[in-house]
């Protein structure tokens, strides 16, 4: 783990910290590249977190989200102790079985789903994975499959479809 102290900053509504250059260089070396999102894990004032280090407007930032701050009284301007490392654990979100079965029954929808970028596929799988009610899950799977198959369906934020 690489340790450092940094002040919480804000851009727009997003809290973040800048990493010291030596920490960034060590992470780039360990990760094997200095482009694209870098999955990390660590602690913020001793509390575990999982996050992704991203470059925004030419600056690498570690965004500090509400999950990381839960139970703390940390705010913008506070100094925070971090320990971070590359997170090599899988971040794959499994496709819900009922969604997979529905896609297998509709080849056109399945082909359309496979054309989505991995981030969109993950977003849909995560969304469906959090649904508790069988009825709601079935309704949403049906709507998504119909949309993917080219049918006009009602507005659905997840798919960013317009009416």
């Amino acid at each position: 783990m690489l340790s450092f102290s940094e002040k919480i900053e804000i851009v727009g509504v997003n809290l973040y910290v800048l990493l010291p250059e030596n920490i960034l260089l060590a992470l780039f070396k360990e990760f094997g590249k200095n482009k694209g999102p870098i999955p990390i894990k660590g602690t913020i004032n001793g509390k575990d977190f999982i996050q992704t280090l991203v470059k925004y407007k030419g600056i690498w930032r570690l965004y500090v989200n509400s999950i990381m701050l839960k139970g703390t009284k940390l705010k913008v301007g506070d100094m925070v102790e971090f320990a971070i490392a590359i997170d090599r654990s899988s971040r794959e979100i499994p496709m819900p079985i009922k969604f997979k079965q529905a896609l297998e029954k509709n080849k056109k929808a399945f082909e359309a789903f496979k054309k989505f970028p991995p981030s969109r596929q993950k977003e849909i799988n995560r969304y469906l994975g959090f649904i508790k009610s069988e009825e709601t899950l079935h309704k949403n799977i049906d709507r998504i499959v119909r949309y993917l198959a080219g049918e006009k369906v009602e507005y659905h934020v997840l798919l960013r479809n317009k009416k």
Side-chain angles (χ1 to χ4, degrees):
M1 289 275 194
L2 304 166
S3 299
F4 65 97
S5 296
E6 195 57 57
K7 183 171 70 169
I8 297 176
E9 308 275 346
I10 190 167
V11 60
V13 296
N14 299 302
L15 303 181
Y16 71 94
V17 294
L18 297 175
L19 279 67
E21 187 173 349
N22 64 320
I23 301 290
L24 273 175
L25 294 175
L27 289 171
F28 295 158
K29 184 176 180 181
E30 183 183 345
F31 194 58
K33 66 179 188 172
N34 63 356
K35 294 183 179 178
I38 299 175
I40 61 168
K41 62 183 175 182
T43 62
I44 177 171
N45 282 1
K47 182 181 175 210
D48 291 337
F49 70 85
I50 296 173
Q51 186 57 290
T52 303
L53 186 62
V54 295
K55 194 172 189 178
Y56 176 72
K57 293 189 175 184
I59 301 170
W60 285 95
R61 299 169 197 247
L62 171 56
Y63 286 96
V64 180
N65 61 35
S66 59
I67 295 169
M68 294 165 69
L69 295 177
K70 188 174 183 177
T72 73
K73 295 183 192 259
L74 296 171
K75 60 189 179 313
V76 175
D78 289 347
M79 287 298 289
V80 183
E81 296 292 323
F82 285 92
I84 62 173
I86 299 295
D87 183 8
R88 301 222 182 261
S89 64
S90 173
R91 294 196 176 180
E92 185 176 331
I93 305 291
M95 181 182 289
I97 292 170
K98 291 183 181 184
F99 183 46
K100 183 176 182 182
Q101 291 169 341
L103 287 176
E104 287 171 347
K105 290 178 185 175
N106 188 320
K107 300 297 181 201
K108 185 176 180 182
F110 203 4
E111 290 304 314
F113 182 76
K114 290 192 298 189
K115 289 179 183 174
F116 277 163
S119 60
R120 177 66 58 80
Q121 292 177 19
K122 184 177 179 178
E123 180 181 353
I124 292 169
N125 289 335
R126 179 183 300 127
Y127 171 78
L128 292 172
F130 280 118
I131 296 175
K132 303 289 184 226
S133 155
E134 284 294 316
E135 180 183 339
T136 302
L137 178 62
H138 177 73
K139 183 176 85 175
N140 280 276
I141 287 173
D142 180 62
R143 182 183 297 148
I144 292 168
V145 169
R146 286 188 299 116
Y147 170 82
L148 291 169
E151 291 182 35
K152 191 169 185 159
V153 295
E154 63 190 69
Y155 179 77
H156 196 268
V157 173
L158 175 68
L159 297 173
R160 295 187 177 101
N161 183 27
K162 294 181 181 175
K163 285 185 179 180

